């Protein structure tokens, strides 16, 4: 009887030490050096923009917020009046501790709950990669500017490729976080971001989603993952698919002459949808130029379909980027009939055709495109 009583008392003690119930949170903040009365804002981001959630004032270098979760864990931000930027953290059930860096909010610290501890771990690893990337960019800034001034695509491509290694390292870090911590809210947040990318690996995302903790699947970002995957799969069922004949088309060249896809076919043909106003397209142009210069002698042809609406800007971009291949445009912006035929909803978009006009690959860029072309023409 005495043992039973001791166990009961111990369990009561544990319960009484817990300050918050399920679906409740307490944020205990330290704001050293911040004057009394300064306002601390709790905000969140949604489809309508930044939404204000709560405001408290600093007293004796401290602040506190508490409340109930309405829609499960979500990413929130701590912001301060008259201070730029914000500090992200996961608003989830439990006791969350935040230590404000009054000079740089982004360097504030969060701990106390599982997801926030994992967020801090991820942030530390991310910062190391980011510092290396910033150092590389700073060390090569003059070289980049000189290459741009001289239109030196070789040097630009080398620098872009080197910088991309850091981006791939960050991507790998995020994927590793999802695989290693299926109970971390940050995992489902990252998964949502990956599911929004045009080149999303559906099979990979589905596998990672299935491994998530069941409770996380109830969170809003997890539901968005499923919505995004359905949209991607629905889009892929529309328009021409790999293995199908590419729809033929005819449109005016920059000189006003009608040019058809059939008369532009080579041993291998790249149909490239772009526009002069499209930043990502222009950034990809050096890669396409390098690809064309290397493989055109071996049978690669390119026909670029522009979604421009102003002929002058279209022609200027062709000259500026040295795009020395076939070009056509109806100058109808997103209402372009060729884009509709190919179900192009975003650019750049690329379709690789064999010599008979059958689509053998699509949605490839950069190194992935080069590897595919090289495997065929070599």
């Amino acid at each position: 009887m005495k043992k039973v009583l001791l166990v009961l008392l111990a369990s009561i003690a544990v319960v009484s030490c817990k300050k918050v119930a399920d679906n409740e949170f307490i944020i205990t903040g330290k704001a050293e050096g911040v004057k009394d009365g300064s306002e601390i804002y709790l905000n969140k981001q949604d489809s309508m923009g930044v939404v204000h959630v709560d405001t408290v004032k600093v007293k004796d270098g401290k602040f506190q917020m508490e409340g109930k979760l309405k829609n499960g864990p979500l990413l929130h931000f701590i912001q301060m009046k008259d201070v730029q930027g914000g500090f992200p953290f996961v608003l989830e059930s439990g006791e969350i501790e935040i230590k404000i860096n009054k000079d740089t909010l982004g360097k504030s610290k969060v701990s106390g709950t599982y997801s926030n501890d994992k967020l801090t771990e991820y942030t530390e690893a991310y910062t190391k990669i980011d510092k290396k990337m910033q150092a590389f960019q700073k060390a090569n800034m003059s070289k980049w500017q000189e290459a741009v001034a001289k239109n030196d695509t070789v040097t630009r491509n080398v620098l872009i490729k080197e910088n991309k290694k850091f981006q791939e390292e960050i991507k790998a870090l995020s994927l590793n976080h999802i695989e290693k911590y299926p109970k971390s809210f940050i995992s489902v947040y990252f998964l949502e971001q990956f599911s929004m990318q045009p080149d999303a690996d559906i099979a990979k995302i589905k596998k990672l989603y299935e491994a998530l903790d069941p409770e996380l699947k109830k969170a809003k970002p997890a539901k968005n993952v499923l919505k995004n995957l359905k949209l991607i799969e629905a889009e892929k069922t529309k328009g021409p698919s790999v293995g199908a004949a590419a729809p033929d088309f005819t449109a005016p060249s920059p000189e006003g002459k009608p040019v058809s896809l059939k008369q532009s076919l080579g041993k291998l043909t790249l149909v490239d949808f772009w526009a002069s106003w499209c930043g990502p397209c222009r950034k990809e142009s050096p890669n396409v130029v390098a690809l064309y210069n290397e493989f055109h002698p071996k049978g690669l042809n390119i026909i670029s379909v522009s979604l421009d609406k102003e002929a002058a800007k279209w022609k200027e971009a062709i000259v500026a980027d040295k795009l020395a291949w076939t070009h056509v445009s109806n100058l109808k912006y997103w209402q372009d009939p060729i884009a509709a035929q190919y179900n192009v909803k975003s650019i750049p978009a690329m379709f690789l055709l064999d010599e008979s006009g059958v689509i053998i690959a699509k949605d490839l860029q950069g190194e992935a495109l080069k590897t595919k072309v090289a495997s065929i023409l070599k």
Side-chain angles (χ1 to χ4, degrees):
M1 183 68 184
K2 186 176 181 181
K3 287 183 178 179
V4 173
L5 182 61
L6 287 172
V7 171
L8 181 60
L9 288 171
S11 63
I12 292 172
V14 169
V15 172
S16 64
C17 287
K18 188 179 180 183
K19 295 181 180 178
V20 292
D22 291 340
N23 292 322
E24 292 183 350
F25 67 87
I26 293 178
I27 300 173
T28 303
K30 292 183 180 180
E32 294 178 4
V34 178
K35 66 180 181 179
D36 281 6
S38 295
E39 293 183 339
I40 303 288
Y41 305 127
L42 175 64
N43 296 329
K44 67 179 181 179
Q45 183 86 28
D46 69 5
S47 58
M48 301 300 291
V50 176
V51 177
H52 179 66
V53 178
D54 197 5
T55 300
V56 294
K57 292 184 178 181
V58 174
K59 184 178 180 181
D60 298 327
K62 298 176 182 178
F63 66 92
Q64 183 169 305
M65 297 179 178
E66 55 185 78
K68 291 186 177 181
L69 298 175
K70 296 180 180 179
N71 299 305
L74 277 177
L75 201 64
H76 281 62
F77 300 86
I78 289 292
Q79 295 181 295
M80 290 177 61
K81 187 177 182 180
D82 300 325
V83 177
Q84 287 189 340
F87 171 65
F89 74 101
V90 180
L91 188 67
E92 61 183 346
S93 180
E95 299 173 42
I96 303 168
E97 298 174 9
I98 293 178
K99 187 175 181 180
I100 292 288
N101 184 312
K102 66 182 181 66
D103 299 315
T104 308
L105 277 179
K107 293 183 179 179
S108 300
K109 302 291 183 182
V110 61
S111 60
T113 59
Y114 181 79
S115 292
N116 282 305
D117 288 341
K118 296 309 172 191
L119 172 59
T120 296
E121 180 182 320
Y122 174 87
T123 302
E124 289 172 353
Y126 171 88
T127 300
K128 291 178 181 178
I129 301 172
D130 187 57
K131 283 182 177 178
K132 290 190 294 182
M133 182 166 64
Q134 297 292 340
F136 170 80
Q137 292 174 353
K138 185 177 180 180
N140 291 278
M141 180 60 71
S142 59
K143 187 184 290 186
W144 172 262
Q145 291 173 339
E146 185 179 348
V148 171
K150 294 181 178 180
N151 204 14
D152 180 358
T153 56
V154 175
T155 300
R156 285 166 63 184
N157 284 339
V158 170
L159 293 174
I160 289 171
K161 187 175 180 180
E162 287 299 311
N163 190 71
K164 193 174 181 181
K165 289 180 181 178
F166 299 111
Q167 296 170 346
E168 291 298 326
E169 199 174 342
I170 291 171
K171 181 179 179 180
L173 177 69
S174 302
L175 285 170
N176 182 63
H177 187 97
I178 300 171
E179 292 173 343
K180 194 174 179 181
Y181 303 119
K183 292 185 177 182
S184 166
F185 176 80
I186 302 303
S187 293
V188 75
Y189 175 78
F190 287 150
L191 201 56
E192 180 187 22
Q193 303 305 307
F194 283 126
S195 72
M196 293 167 65
Q197 297 176 2
D199 59 346
D201 185 337
I202 294 179
K204 176 82 171 177
I205 292 172
K206 281 184 176 179
K207 184 178 178 181
L208 292 171
Y209 174 84
E210 290 302 324
L212 288 175
D213 183 84
E215 283 301 309
L216 267 187
K217 291 180 182 178
K218 299 176 184 178
K220 187 177 180 181
K223 294 175 182 178
N224 289 340
V225 170
L226 295 181
K227 288 180 183 178
N228 293 338
L229 290 180
K230 285 181 181 179
L231 287 173
I232 293 171
E233 290 175 331
E235 286 296 322
K236 288 190 174 182
T237 61
K238 300 176 183 178
S241 58
V242 173
D248 192 24
F249 57 80
T250 300
S253 70
E255 295 75 31
K257 296 180 180 179
V259 178
S260 70
L261 171 62
K262 284 185 178 179
Q263 71 188 74
S264 304
L265 291 175
K267 186 175 181 181
L268 199 61
T269 304
L270 182 67
V271 181
D272 169 35
F273 289 87
W274 76 299
S276 67
W277 47 260
C278 170
C281 302
R282 301 295 293 274
K283 285 183 180 179
E284 184 66 17
S285 287
N287 294 328
V288 183
V289 169
L291 184 78
Y292 183 77
N293 291 340
E294 182 176 354
F295 292 102
H296 179 58
K298 299 177 182 179
L300 174 67
N301 283 358
I302 299 178
I303 179 167
S304 285
V305 181
S306 171
L307 304 191
D308 272 281
K309 49 186 177 181
E310 295 182 35
K313 290 184 178 180
W314 171 42
K315 295 174 185 178
E316 286 170 8
I318 292 171
V319 174
D321 292 358
K322 296 185 178 180
L323 312 181
W325 50 78
T326 303
H327 292 267
V328 297
S329 181
N330 291 295
L331 300 175
K332 291 187 177 181
Y333 198 45
W334 284 110
Q335 286 69 48
D336 186 271
I338 305 171
Q341 279 182 289
Y342 282 74
N343 192 42
V344 171
K345 303 294 185 183
S346 64
I347 53 176
M350 299 184 183
F351 296 78
L352 198 59
L353 319 181
D354 67 13
E355 57 190 347
S356 60
V358 172
I359 300 171
I360 55 177
K362 62 180 185 178
D363 301 325
L364 297 179
Q365 294 179 27
E367 284 300 312
L369 177 60
K370 181 179 179 180
T371 299
K372 183 68 174 180
V373 170
S375 69
I376 297 169
L377 294 182
K378 284 184 178 179

